[in-house]
Amino acid sequence: MTRPTRRRAGRSRLSIALLACGACLTAASCTTGGEEDAPAAPPTVHTTPSAGARPGPLPLDGHFLSREDHQKLRSALDLLVAACMKRAGVPLPPAPAVTAEPPRHERRYGISAPDQAARYGYHLAGRTTPPTPPPVTARQQRALSGTPDGRPGPGGSPPEGCNAAAAERITGTDSFPADALVVRQLNMDSFEQSKNDARVRTVLRKWSDCMKAGGFSYTGPLDAPRSMADGPRASAREIATARADVACKDRTRLIGVWNAVESAYQHRLIKERAKELAAARRERDDRLRRAAEVLRSAAPSS
């Protein structure tokens, strides 16, 4: 099991996060190029958003690590770290089970499920405090993190530490595997570009007007939970706000519009950065291949 460490590898641990509809979605204006570039026209949306839409898949999804990929990488790293620590004579106690992550787009545009809004408000349904990992001794920590003078650590553990040594086997660096930087950057870019798109700005104003009519004053759907979801449970005011939030999203087709517009931006970004994304995919596949080799070598022979 991988543990926190002062080195970069420990910090980088896998943990494992929208106008009404139809033809209106094809007209807007925005600028995405630099000062010397001609303004890029907003991408055309070919779908008709419906009321009651939920955040759906986005084009970049296939470039992210899947849950299965995360599990394979984490299991391989855990095996490598555990073997390293055992060889050093400082084995680690079992780590607590990893809490399952919510669906990728569950709250990309704010809450969207009426039943969860009515029961939990803006709080996350069924979410509990993650279990605390068992403590490690100073000797174990040195074996995990490495030694500052470049000498072998406790029990002959590698100078770079068991965490970095495990990462090296999978990534070729001292950093644990994660989603490629270009994928994460484009995911953020598409969100910002779509949020600033005239079609989304229009539907956000409609949502805000709808909320104001019900006695709730918010500029956008991502503002409301910030001031409400900190307590241990949802208050009556929070639940009332969340229910109005989802109802106004349905009435204005906010989720469907925003999701459709962002999908169009992601399609464009994928085409523009195709070479970088292809390289990132090859790197991801190579790391998964290395992880699979580690898991096969550790599997009991039949």
Side-chain angles (χ1 to χ4, degrees):
M1 78 213 89
T2 47
R3 298 304 177 93
T5 171
R6 293 186 299 273
R7 283 181 175 266
R8 184 182 174 195
R11 292 197 303 269
S12 303
R13 159 120 206 206
L14 283 174
S15 22
I16 202 305
L18 304 142
L19 243 203
C21 64
C24 298
L25 287 171
T26 63
S29 61
C30 67
T31 301
T32 57
E35 292 181 0
E36 298 180 357
D37 298 328
T44 300
V45 174
H46 299 284
T47 59
T48 301
S50 61
R54 299 292 172 258
L58 287 168
L60 271 172
D61 288 355
H63 295 273
F64 281 94
L65 290 163
S66 66
R67 288 192 179 193
E68 292 75 17
D69 292 341
H70 275 291
Q71 182 60 47
K72 181 182 293 184
L73 291 164
R74 182 168 53 242
S75 296
L77 288 165
D78 285 349
L79 282 171
L80 291 170
V81 172
C84 178
M85 296 292 285
K86 185 177 180 180
R87 287 193 301 271
V90 284
L92 293 169
V98 177
T99 305
E101 292 294 321
R104 183 182 301 279
H105 306 305
E106 181 178 304
R107 298 202 176 189
R108 191 168 184 87
Y109 315 119
I111 60 172
S112 59
D115 55 337
Q116 291 193 14
R119 184 174 180 182
Y120 301 104
Y122 291 104
H123 283 65
L124 294 172
R127 192 58 50 85
T128 58
T129 302
T132 302
V136 297
T137 65
R139 183 176 173 83
Q140 288 172 325
Q141 186 61 56
R142 287 197 303 274
L144 284 168
S145 304
T147 57
D149 57 9
R151 297 180 180 179
S157 55
E160 69 272 25
C162 287
N163 273 342
E168 175 73 25
R169 286 279 302 275
I170 304 299
T171 69
T173 72
D174 67 352
S175 294
F176 288 165
D179 290 302
L181 178 60
V182 63
V183 176
R184 289 178 279 144
Q185 184 62 58
L186 295 184
N187 186 56
M188 292 187 291
D189 289 348
S190 68
F191 182 84
E192 290 300 317
Q193 290 173 0
S194 63
K195 185 176 71 173
N196 293 318
D197 186 280
R199 294 161 288 191
V200 174
R201 293 202 306 269
T202 296
V203 79
L204 287 173
R205 286 194 296 270
K206 291 178 179 290
W207 175 89
S208 182
D209 290 343
C210 175
M211 290 290 285
K212 189 172 295 184
F216 307 98
S217 181
Y218 293 101
T219 303
L222 302 182
D223 298 333
R226 293 176 183 171
S227 60
M228 290 190 162
D230 293 335
R233 60 182 60 85
S235 65
R237 175 69 178 177
E238 177 184 341
I239 288 176
T241 306
R243 293 181 68 178
D245 181 347
V246 173
C248 286
K249 284 190 176 87
D250 288 348
R251 193 167 300 141
T252 60
R253 291 177 164 83
L254 184 149
I255 298 291
V257 172
W258 200 340
N259 197 89
V261 170
E262 185 170 13
S263 292
Y265 277 101
Q266 285 200 2
H267 278 302
R268 184 161 73 183
L269 288 168
I270 288 171
K271 290 182 180 178
E272 293 173 349
R273 308 287 288 277
K275 290 184 179 180
E276 293 170 78
L277 289 170
R281 182 183 289 275
R282 288 192 296 271
E283 182 179 78
R284 181 192 67 181
D285 292 346
D286 185 57
R287 292 177 175 185
L288 288 169
R289 177 186 57 76
R290 295 182 191 181
E293 290 173 353
V294 170
L295 296 174
R296 279 197 301 270
S297 66
S301 56
S302 54

